[in-house]
Amino acid sequence: MAGILYIVPTPVGNLQDMTFRAVEVLKGADLILAEDTRTSSVLLKHFDIHRPLKSHHKFNEHQTVELVKERILSGLNVALISDAGTPGISDPGFLLARACAEEGIEVQTLPGATACIPALVSSGLPCDKFAFEGFLPQKKGRQTLLASLAAETRTMVFYESPYRLVKTLEQFAAAFGEDRRCSVAREISKVHEEHRRGTLAQVAEWFRVHEPKGEIVIVVAGAHPAKPANQRRYDGGEEKTAAD
C-alpha cells in the first residue's frame, strides 16, 4: 500500500506559528524532505523531531522527484517542508505534488504559515479577490509582464528581495502610475514586523531613505474597472450611454 505525501508549512517568523498537527505529522513521517537541511535541522531540534532528513530544493528536485515518488509508492510516508512558509508557493514542491497526484498518491497539504495572506489582509486593500504573482522575472519578460498587469483589477501580491525593493517599486510606479496604492510588509511574524502603506511613489521614497531588510511582500491595488461602452448613466434625469 502506498504511503502519503504531506506538504507541511513551517513558520515564516515566530516559531509559535507551528501547528500541533504539523509537529505530529513530522514526528510520524518516515522521511522529511527539506529545502535546506541546515535551516530545517534547527526547527526540527526545537520541536524534538528526530526523523531521516534529505534535501529537496530547486537545484535537485527534477532529479529527486521520481526517486521520492517510488519511495512513497513502496509505503513510506514523506513530509515536505521548505525554509519557511508553505512548500510550492515560490518554493520547491509543485513538481513533487504533481508527480504524486498524477500517480494517484494521496497528497495532504496542511493549513499553516505563509507570508502572502497576512500581508494581503493587513494591507487595507481589497482582499476578496487577488492575484498572487510571487517573484517577478528578474530580466527577460519582466517589462512585458508588468505591462500586462497594468489593467489587472484585482489586488496583486508580489514577493521581492530587499535589495531590489526600491527598483521594483519604481518600476511599478512607471507601469501602474505613481498614485496607485500599495503596502509593503516586511519581516512578517518576526520581532521587527513592519507595514508601510501609501502610494507607490510615497513608499518608494520611504525605502530610499530607510534601507529595507528581511523578507518582503508587496501588495498593490488593482486598477479601477473600466466602464463597459454600453453602460448607462443618468444625467439630469436624462438617460444616456457612456458613449454619449
Side-chain angles (χ1 to χ4, degrees):
M1 183 177 179
I4 298 173
L5 172 64
Y6 294 97
I7 298 178
V8 183
T10 55
V12 297
N14 194 319
L15 289 179
Q16 294 184 65
D17 292 338
M18 190 77 166
T19 68
F20 292 117
R21 185 184 173 202
V23 173
E24 181 181 18
V25 166
L26 292 177
K27 285 187 174 182
D30 297 302
L31 174 65
I32 298 174
L33 301 177
E35 184 178 5
D36 186 327
T37 55
R38 295 165 299 180
T39 300
S40 296
S41 292
V42 176
L43 175 76
L44 299 179
K45 182 179 179 180
H46 178 83
F47 289 103
D48 196 28
I49 298 170
H50 305 281
R51 305 304 300 159
L53 183 65
K54 290 188 177 297
S55 64
H56 182 84
H57 47 72
K58 64 180 181 180
F59 301 109
N60 74 355
E61 61 178 338
H62 285 86
Q63 291 74 41
T64 59
V65 162
E66 287 301 315
L67 177 61
V68 172
K69 184 183 74 174
E70 291 303 319
R71 298 187 74 172
I72 298 174
L73 285 171
S74 72
L76 294 185
N77 290 324
V78 175
L80 174 67
I81 59 177
S82 61
D83 289 349
T86 300
I89 306 299
S90 296
D91 281 325
F94 160 70
L95 292 178
L96 182 57
R98 180 179 65 181
C100 290
E102 289 177 347
E103 193 67 38
I105 294 170
E106 183 176 356
V107 179
Q108 290 191 19
T109 301
L110 279 61
T114 183
C116 61
I117 298 302
L120 171 65
V121 176
S122 297
S123 70
L125 298 172
C127 54
D128 54 333
K129 297 179 181 179
F130 66 94
F132 176 74
E133 294 295 329
F135 287 99
L136 291 170
Q138 291 190 28
K139 294 181 180 179
K140 187 177 181 180
R142 187 180 180 95
Q143 293 304 322
T144 301
L145 178 58
L146 288 178
S148 72
L149 292 174
E152 174 59 67
T153 58
R154 294 170 296 177
T155 300
M156 296 172 283
V157 183
F158 305 87
Y159 287 162
E160 190 51 280
S161 159
Y163 307 108
R164 294 191 298 267
L165 175 60
V166 172
K167 181 179 180 180
T168 296
L169 290 172
E170 291 171 345
Q171 291 175 333
F172 284 175
F176 308 150
E178 292 187 343
D179 293 334
R180 185 79 70 93
R181 303 292 298 180
C182 74
S183 172
V184 171
R186 188 178 67 83
E187 295 288 78
I188 291 285
S189 190
K190 297 180 182 177
V191 174
H192 300 292
E193 180 173 339
E194 175 188 21
H195 297 264
R196 184 60 50 179
R197 306 174 182 89
T199 65
L200 285 166
Q202 290 169 338
V203 176
E205 180 58 31
W206 170 268
F207 284 111
R208 287 191 197 99
V209 177
H210 304 83
E211 182 181 0
K213 296 180 181 179
E215 302 295 324
I216 302 290
V217 183
I218 308 172
V219 184
V220 182
H224 290 295
K227 291 183 178 180
N230 62 351
Q231 182 175 342
R232 293 189 172 276
R233 60 183 175 83
Y234 289 89
D235 186 5
E238 181 181 359
E239 185 178 8
K240 298 182 178 182
T241 65
D244 290 341

